[in-house]
Amino acid sequence: MAEGLVTDLIKQLLSVAAREAEQEIRLVIGVNEEIEKLKGNLRTVKAVLNDAEKRQVTEEAVKVWLEKLNNACYKMEDVVDEWNTSMIKSAIQKKEENVDDAPVLKKKVCSFIPSPSYCFCQVDKLVLRHDIAHKIKELNGILDEITKEKDRYQFQLTNDPTTKVLERPQTTSFVDMSEICGRDNIKDDLLSMLLGTGSEEETSPHVVSLVGMGGIGKTALAQLAYNDPKVQAHFEKKMWVCVSDPFDQCKVAKEIIESVTNKSPKINALQSLLKKICALIRGKKFFLILDDVWTEDYKMWEPFKLALKCDVQGSRILVTTRKSRVAEMMGSASTINLEVLSKEDCWLVFSKIAFFDWDPNQSEQLEDLGRQIVDKCKGLPLAAKTLGSLMHFKRSREEWKCILDSNLWELEDVEQSLFAPLLLSYYDLSSPLKRCFTFCAIFPKGYFFSINELVFMWMAQGYIIPKANMEIEIMARDYFENLVIRSFFQDFEKDKDDGKIRMYKMHDIVHDFAQLMSKNECFTINNDIELGSNYKNYRHLQLKIPTKAQFPKSIYSAKSLRTLIFAYSGDCNLSTLFRHFRCLRILILNCKPGFILKELPVEVENFLHLRYLEIVNYCGDRLPETICNLCNLQILKIASTNYVPKLPQGMGKLINLRHFILKFSYFVSNVEFPRGFGRLTSLRTLNYFSVSGKDHSERCRLGELRNLNHLQGTLEIYGLGSEVNACEAENAQLKKKIGLCTLLLWFDERVRGEIIREMDVLVLNALEPPPNLEDLTIGRYQGLTMFPNWMLSLTKLKKLDIYALNLECLPPLGKLPLLNSLRIKSNYLKNVGDEFLGIKPKTKKEDNMITVFPNLKSLTFDFLGEWEEWIGIGGEEEKEEDCIITIMPSLQKLEIFDCPKLKSLPNFLHTIPLQKLEIRYNSILSERCRRG
């Protein structure tokens, strides 16, 4: 915990100092020296934190020292964030000044007498800088004392070579030989060296070394050799010892003896142990594997070399090491420099893990990216295994592409202990991961975690260390999956439709461990009993006040809170609450059923550091304008019940907003978005957007979406039609939003007429979606035709829903290669024929084999009140003019609802092995189906 805080704080100081220089904003004279001193103190304590965090478990004094350090670092983080926020606000103010017209700007430049408002603004900035400078100096004094106090505990330095950070994982001779790929030739060479008779002049035992970089497969090859039946039969004594680092002579000697006798020797002197080894191997042909040798000190090896000499030819010692100098030091007669795997063998290693228990179709769709990822592994088996494990939990092309574009494969060593005891696993985590894990203690036992929910909260707390060219959300999901791999999250719930993992749960024992490691920081209060605790150092609080219970005012002393998850019951004065908790990064107000939150207090602007704001069951008709002063806000989630909130006019100032999520308990289409919304170019999530507003001068146009090209996931657009023309639709540039997977386009059915019908056709044609779109809905469409020039370019489209009012014919959807779900609703459509399949007479002559709707599994026709005919192929069978046409070969479910005039079904349906056919409100078809 402390290590992560200190590391982050050093980086923040460097970052904010760089920004200060860039913006030419200076604090008062002398503060630069204080900052350098502060960074020096932080680096000094950072060097001992590894040892301190381990000793706090058993030493109370060390624990108290760490708490002091944590408190000081938290306060320093707030000061640095306040400093950074002042620069963000200054940048926003400059941008707003720059949007003024030219004459006004010229007037400002030419005026030598500044306006009173300008003077007051400059005075406010000067006062703020003095305040920040004073806080830095004060906190530096506190950190000075903490740094001096550390010397009492004689901590070991993190970079001290005698300090053992973690016990290295022990290797054994056991292996699943079928899991090892691509080593057949080298295995044959190695067996030849081990089983060969050799010459009489050969030194016995004969030392063979396997040399290669970490993760190249040295241990795996040694295991293959050790378990080979010929080797087992050839040698009388076989021994396996994991040496590792440091080289403990007595430990190695004891393990050699135990390998032969299956008993641990009770002697401890090295001399006696070596004499015992001599006696055990005398006159025997033996095979000894020394795995993972690091020491280059010949003095450590020499006693073993002398003790292992024997008069029987053919004994062998196999050494695995990363260093060629170790092989030389041990007097190797033969050395195999292990090379990387071939691309195909590396692919086999990767794919066995990544695609284990996957649907073959799904793995095929990702194979192209998988092979590119394997190329980045550079033939390293451990990298293939590690990335295979990582990709096993990722199912989208976006995630695979992001990993492909990252630099993760440049790491030389990736040694992770997935099945170690919890404490060992915890110490194996990076500082950011430790903070991410312990933060989870704020949630109750049995809580099901949504991945996005947790990812957004970690981002808000600043736990995610950004990397160049990688989205911070992807980094955060990578953190989460690292915790999953280590079994910190294990139980999960899958989506019933697509089988993707949506929710995870933390085992109760793991949750207890998280609470232990976050003691005095994460708390849950869920009753009306005054705990009598000191809330001063609380950082993360989940507060549930029972109905009719009084709000515990003692909570107000927790002024250092970073997280507040509050089940609001109406008995609390939110204005008072907002004035106290000024350090919050996360605020979740969950209004209980039966209680109404009609207004968010204007004091919300007090949350200077707030990154995450979520309001559940909000019943207000607007959000306060002061919310736009939260310039650090990254995530804003509003879930409304019976009201549609009007968004504040100044939302364009929330330049750091990355995720804006609106949820409604019923169908909503008239949320008023403000002009200037398009300035939120950091947005990654915008699930809802509405073209609305009665006044054209204030109306938020569709073109506001033009520069929001980082949008991902789902986007639902309302208000298309009368208020939007083709030019404005094209100006939205939807095709550039390549991160979108799902798009819903809702037209305006309130205005009708021929002009509107023609306009809808033009607007839909101009709304060209991104080419990678997988799910498309077109709703309330009034055009007579629907054949936009981009429709057939959506080759990745899997799901399509069409709700059209006046459609006269269907578009040629049969050409969409991956479409597996199609739903059509159209009031006045009368006929469905060849045009729907996308087959033309010319096409039949050019191609002898045609497959239409090759992957369609679900087809639904709903509320086609005028539909009379469904014709197959020109009214004939599937075989025509020597052309074999296969239609919907994968169809499993056909639903026909509210189509009372439809008289018959096409003949090709008889050849399809449907699993489900459901017909409602059509007596003609129902009767015919009953007759067979």
Side-chain angles (χ1 to χ4, degrees):
M1 287 286 288
E3 183 185 6
L5 263 172
V6 171
T7 302
D8 291 349
L9 190 47
I10 293 172
K11 289 179 179 178
Q12 288 173 36
L13 281 168
L14 293 171
S15 174
V16 79
R19 178 177 286 192
E20 182 201 41
E22 181 182 325
Q23 296 191 7
E24 298 181 354
I25 299 172
R26 292 287 183 267
L27 294 176
V28 294
I29 295 173
V31 174
N32 283 341
E33 289 79 4
E34 290 290 335
I35 291 171
E36 289 304 314
K37 182 180 177 183
L38 183 65
K39 287 190 284 190
N41 279 334
L42 289 169
R43 289 185 176 116
T44 300
V45 296
K46 184 176 184 286
V48 301
L49 285 178
N50 212 326
D51 187 36
E53 289 198 335
K54 290 181 179 179
R55 286 171 56 181
Q56 69 167 323
V57 179
T58 55
E59 299 180 41
E60 186 65 26
V62 173
K63 183 179 177 182
V64 171
W65 180 81
L66 276 175
E67 286 178 359
K68 288 181 184 177
L69 177 61
N70 277 340
N71 292 336
C73 287
Y74 275 125
K75 289 178 182 177
M76 193 66 240
E77 259 194 346
D78 289 338
V79 172
V80 171
D81 197 50
E82 189 178 342
W83 183 11
N84 189 52
T85 301
S86 69
M87 286 186 281
I88 293 174
K89 287 188 173 182
S90 178
I92 294 172
Q93 185 179 351
K94 283 183 180 179
K95 279 188 178 181
E96 291 181 335
E97 289 172 356
N98 290 336
V99 299
D100 291 342
D101 54 17
V104 174
L105 283 174
K106 186 175 180 181
K107 184 177 179 181
K108 287 182 180 178
V109 172
C110 295
S111 176
F112 292 97
I113 304 174
S115 67
S117 62
Y118 175 82
C119 290
F120 283 122
C121 180
Q122 296 305 309
V123 170
D124 285 344
K125 288 181 180 178
L126 187 61
V127 170
L128 176 62
R129 292 175 199 169
H130 274 278
D131 184 45
I132 293 172
H134 176 73
K135 289 177 180 177
I136 290 174
K137 189 169 184 178
E138 182 181 325
L139 285 168
N140 217 356
I142 295 171
L143 194 58
D144 244 344
E145 293 300 316
I146 294 171
T147 306
K148 291 174 184 176
E149 189 180 342
K150 77 171 176 57
D151 296 332
R152 297 183 196 172
Y153 306 108
Q154 299 180 337
F155 294 124
Q156 289 182 314
L157 295 174
T158 298
N159 57 359
D160 188 339
T162 63
T163 303
K164 285 296 293 176
V165 176
L166 277 174
E167 182 182 348
R168 293 176 181 270
Q170 294 291 300
T171 64
T172 71
S173 63
F174 297 101
V175 66
D176 183 348
M177 300 176 75
S178 66
E179 293 294 319
I180 300 175
C181 305
R183 295 303 190 192
D184 293 341
N185 292 336
I186 298 176
K187 178 189 172 185
D188 292 341
D189 293 341
L190 178 58
L191 290 179
S192 178
M193 295 176 187
L194 298 177
L195 302 175
T197 55
S199 64
E200 292 184 3
E201 293 80 19
E202 174 184 278
T203 304
S204 187
H206 189 85
V207 179
V208 178
S209 287
L210 297 176
V211 180
M213 62 186 292
I216 198 71
K218 302 180 295 293
T219 298
L221 184 56
Q223 290 167 331
L224 278 178
Y226 187 91
N227 289 282
D228 188 273
K230 294 177 183 177
V231 170
Q232 290 289 314
H234 184 75
F235 296 102
E236 297 171 84
K237 300 291 182 182
K238 295 160 288 287
M239 299 157 280
W240 179 288
V241 177
C242 178
V243 179
S244 200
D245 189 39
F247 191 106
D248 186 329
Q249 290 177 307
C250 289
K251 176 177 173 289
V252 171
K254 286 183 177 181
E255 289 193 18
I256 291 173
I257 294 170
E258 190 172 351
S259 291
V260 177
T261 64
N262 293 323
K263 293 181 181 179
S264 180
K266 296 182 179 180
I267 50 179
N268 295 311
L270 181 61
Q271 171 67 22
S272 302
L273 290 167
L274 294 176
K275 283 180 69 175
K276 180 72 173 176
I277 290 173
C278 287
L280 289 171
I281 65 171
R282 187 175 292 116
K284 306 289 186 183
K285 187 187 295 185
F286 69 84
F287 178 38
L288 169 63
I289 291 183
L290 298 174
D291 187 40
D292 195 28
V293 180
W294 287 75
T295 185
E296 299 174 29
D297 188 351
Y298 180 74
K299 292 179 181 178
M300 301 294 288
W301 164 242
E302 187 179 22
F304 291 90
K305 180 179 179 181
L306 297 172
L308 290 167
K309 277 190 175 182
C310 60
D311 52 3
V312 178
Q313 289 294 316
S315 291
R316 297 288 188 268
I317 298 175
L318 179 61
V319 177
T320 72
T321 180
R322 301 183 187 193
K323 305 177 182 180
S324 58
R325 292 181 64 180
V326 170
E328 294 171 7
M329 178 272 295
M330 299 187 77
S332 302
S334 302
T335 298
I336 296 177
N337 290 295
L338 212 55
E339 300 295 333
V340 297
L341 294 174
S342 68
K343 286 185 178 180
E344 194 58 36
D345 288 330
C346 200
W347 166 250
L348 289 174
V349 173
F350 172 87
S351 59
K352 278 185 178 181
I353 300 170
F355 297 138
F356 177 74
D357 207 26
W358 276 36
D359 180 87
N361 293 330
Q362 193 176 19
S363 57
E364 282 178 13
Q365 291 177 22
L366 293 172
E367 182 174 340
D368 60 325
L369 292 179
R371 287 189 176 274
Q372 293 178 66
I373 289 172
V374 168
D375 287 343
K376 294 285 188 178
C377 292
K378 299 175 183 176
L380 194 65
L382 182 58
K385 288 181 180 179
T386 302
L387 288 172
S389 299
L390 178 66
M391 305 316 294
H392 180 72
F393 295 98
K394 299 179 184 294
R395 301 296 172 112
S396 72
R397 287 188 68 86
E398 175 198 8
E399 291 174 305
W400 280 58
K401 186 71 166 59
C402 186
I403 295 298
L404 173 63
D405 294 338
S406 72
N407 296 317
L408 298 177
W409 304 277
E410 299 301 325
L411 296 173
E412 181 181 347
D413 292 317
V414 186
E415 295 179 359
Q416 300 177 348
S417 180
L418 299 179
F419 306 106
L422 284 174
L423 194 58
L424 184 61
S425 293
Y426 176 77
Y427 286 136
D428 193 39
L429 297 175
S430 65
S431 298
L433 275 176
K434 289 177 183 175
R435 300 182 79 184
C436 291
F437 168 68
T438 54
F439 175 79
C440 297
I442 192 175
F443 298 99
K445 284 184 179 180
Y447 185 83
F448 280 91
F449 294 91
S450 158
I451 298 178
N452 280 343
E453 173 189 35
L454 210 48
V455 160
F456 291 164
M457 288 186 180
W458 289 344
M459 286 168 49
Q461 294 293 347
Y463 296 159
I464 313 301
I465 307 300
K467 286 187 178 180
N469 302 320
M470 183 176 279
E471 291 280 283
I472 193 169
E473 291 83 359
I474 298 295
M475 284 292 302
R477 290 188 183 98
D478 182 60
Y479 282 21
F480 182 84
E481 284 162 12
N482 266 287
L483 293 175
V484 171
I485 290 170
R486 289 169 168 82
S487 299
F488 287 112
F489 296 100
Q490 53 185 20
D491 299 324
F492 54 81
E493 287 185 352
K494 289 185 178 180
D495 189 281
K496 293 180 180 179
D497 295 327
D498 58 19
K500 291 182 179 179
I501 300 171
R502 302 293 186 189
M503 309 290 280
Y504 286 81
K505 190 177 76 170
M506 186 176 280
H507 191 282
D508 284 356
I509 295 175
V510 178
H511 187 271
D512 289 337
F513 178 72
Q515 287 183 314
L516 173 67
M517 301 311 293
S518 63
K519 196 173 181 182
N520 299 329
E521 289 205 358
C522 291
F523 288 88
T524 298
I525 298 177
N526 54 17
N527 56 51
D528 58 346
I529 301 173
E530 286 290 341
L531 300 180
S533 300
N534 179 9
Y535 302 114
K536 186 178 179 182
N537 293 326
Y538 277 24
R539 307 295 174 189
H540 311 289
L541 175 64
Q542 180 151 169
L543 186 60
K544 295 181 180 180
I545 307 300
T547 306
K548 298 182 180 180
Q550 289 188 344
F551 183 84
K553 294 183 179 180
S554 55
I555 293 293
Y556 291 145
S557 64
K559 297 185 182 298
S560 299
L561 272 185
R562 297 291 186 95
T563 304
L564 177 60
I565 302 175
F566 182 28
Y568 177 71
S569 59
D571 295 330
C572 170
N573 186 323
L574 288 182
S575 296
T576 304
L577 190 77
F578 286 7
R579 284 194 294 267
H580 282 85
F581 302 137
R582 292 174 177 262
C583 296
L584 285 179
R585 267 68 174 171
I586 297 173
L587 173 62
I588 299 177
L589 290 175
N590 192 340
C591 303
K592 294 181 180 179
F595 294 94
I596 296 176
L597 178 58
K598 287 188 174 181
E599 186 178 9
L600 194 65
V602 295
E603 287 84 359
V604 70
E605 69 177 342
N606 289 334
F607 299 131
L608 179 74
H609 310 280
L610 199 67
R611 265 79 172 170
Y612 183 117
L613 175 61
E614 180 177 1
I615 308 172
V616 183
N617 296 330
Y618 185 60
C619 296
D621 60 356
R622 64 182 61 241
L623 293 173
E625 199 66 34
T626 53
I627 204 172
C628 302
N629 295 329
L630 303 176
C631 61
N632 288 308
L633 198 65
Q634 296 177 350
I635 298 101
L636 177 58
K637 299 168 72 174
I638 308 292
S640 184
T641 51
N642 301 318
Y643 296 86
V644 180
K646 181 179 180 180
L647 301 181
Q649 291 299 308
M651 277 197 74
K653 293 192 291 184
L654 299 176
I655 59 173
N656 286 310
L657 194 65
R658 297 176 72 87
H659 304 279
F660 180 41
I661 301 170
L662 290 172
K663 292 184 179 180
F664 305 101
S665 56
Y666 63 98
F667 195 81
V668 170
S669 61
N670 59 339
V671 176
E672 291 188 29
F673 276 68
R675 291 191 70 181
F677 191 83
R679 291 168 59 189
L680 304 182
T681 54
S682 295
L683 275 178
R684 266 61 179 173
T685 303
L686 177 63
N687 69 315
Y688 176 101
F689 183 81
S690 177
V691 181
S692 58
K694 297 177 182 178
D695 187 343
H696 281 268
S697 63
E698 295 183 1
R699 182 168 70 87
C700 179
R701 296 180 177 273
L702 188 62
E704 295 277 2
L705 297 175
R706 181 180 182 85
N707 295 319
L708 307 186
N709 291 329
H710 297 296
L711 292 179
Q712 301 169 0
T714 299
L715 172 61
E716 191 165 5
I717 302 176
Y718 286 88
L720 301 172
S722 60
E723 298 293 338
V724 178
N725 58 34
C727 182
E728 188 177 343
E730 186 176 356
N731 197 36
Q733 293 290 291
L734 294 184
K735 62 184 177 183
K736 291 185 178 180
K737 293 148 186 56
I738 59 176
L740 289 177
C741 296
T742 302
L743 181 64
L744 298 92
L745 304 173
W746 293 99
F747 288 77
D748 190 351
E749 65 180 350
R750 292 172 297 180
V751 182
R752 303 198 178 192
E754 185 177 347
I755 295 177
I756 294 300
R757 288 197 293 269
E758 293 175 357
M759 186 175 291
D760 278 8
V761 173
L762 295 173
V763 168
L764 182 62
N765 193 57
L767 285 170
E768 182 178 351
N772 294 327
L773 200 70
E774 296 181 2
D775 188 341
L776 175 64
T777 295
I778 302 172
R780 302 172 182 167
Y781 179 74
Q782 295 191 52
L784 300 179
T785 61
M786 181 186 288
F787 190 18
N789 53 22
W790 45 259
M791 180 68 81
L792 297 183
S793 68
L794 300 180
T795 56
K796 304 293 178 65
L797 196 68
K798 297 178 181 178
K799 185 174 184 290
L800 175 61
D801 289 5
I802 296 174
Y803 306 123
L805 302 177
N806 306 304
L807 209 58
E808 293 181 347
C809 64
L810 292 175
L813 303 177
K815 291 184 177 182
L816 295 173
L818 298 181
L819 190 67
N820 62 43
S821 175
L822 175 61
R823 186 180 190 95
I824 297 171
K825 180 178 180 180
S826 182
N827 301 36
Y828 298 109
L829 185 69
K830 292 186 177 182
N831 298 294
V832 175
D834 285 17
E835 79 289 340
F836 176 53
L837 302 176
I839 300 174
K840 297 178 181 178
K842 185 178 178 181
T843 307
K844 297 175 187 177
K845 293 176 182 178
E846 291 177 352
D847 197 342
N848 293 330
M849 300 285 291
I850 301 174
T851 303
V852 182
F853 288 109
N855 287 293
L856 191 66
K857 295 180 180 178
S858 174
L859 175 60
T860 301
F861 292 101
D862 187 10
F863 205 74
L864 277 72
E866 301 298 321
W867 187 22
E868 297 177 357
E869 287 187 299
W870 185 1
I871 304 169
I873 302 172
E876 301 294 333
E877 297 290 333
E878 293 86 65
K879 189 171 183 180
E880 183 176 306
E881 298 179 1
D882 299 323
C883 176
I884 300 174
I885 301 173
T886 305
I887 303 174
M888 304 181 190
S890 304
L891 192 65
Q892 299 175 3
K893 181 174 70 173
L894 174 61
E895 297 174 325
I896 300 175
F897 303 147
D898 290 295
C899 305
K901 296 184 179 181
L902 183 62
K903 301 171 185 177
S904 63
L905 300 177
N907 292 333
F908 69 78
L909 288 177
H910 295 293
T911 64
I912 298 172
L914 279 175
Q915 296 179 9
K916 180 182 179 182
L917 172 62
E918 187 172 357
I919 300 172
R920 295 181 189 172
Y921 308 113
N922 186 309
S923 56
I924 301 172
L925 288 181
S926 297
E927 182 62 28
R928 287 187 176 180
C929 288
R930 276 194 293 270
R931 292 176 183 175

